[in-house]
Amino acid sequence: MVGFDFGNGNGFVVTAPEAAAIADGLAEEGWWRPGQAVTLVSHAIAAFYRAAADEGRTVIGGVA
């Protein structure tokens, strides 16, 4: 949890390994796979988590 309120609760932190798990799960559900064109918002979300995982980055976010 991040000590910042985005309006609907505190922020969140997703580590690179967690981002990889999210990206893998989204790919299994057919959202998007590396190499596919990003043409929908769902594709962009899946591609974002895959890139974060591949680059070893932590994602910090929240619900506004």
Side-chain angles (χ1 to χ4, degrees):
M1 180 169 40
V2 176
F4 184 83
D5 187 332
F6 283 86
N8 290 329
N10 290 331
F12 60 84
V13 174
V14 177
T15 64
E18 292 169 331
I22 291 168
D24 292 344
L26 294 175
E28 288 176 14
E29 291 182 8
W31 282 45
W32 177 85
R33 294 185 188 279
Q36 291 179 319
V38 175
T39 58
L40 301 171
V41 172
S42 60
H43 296 168
I45 293 167
F48 172 81
Y49 280 104
R50 173 53 50 206
D54 291 349
E55 294 173 15
R57 297 182 179 262
T58 297
V59 174
I60 299 173
V63 178

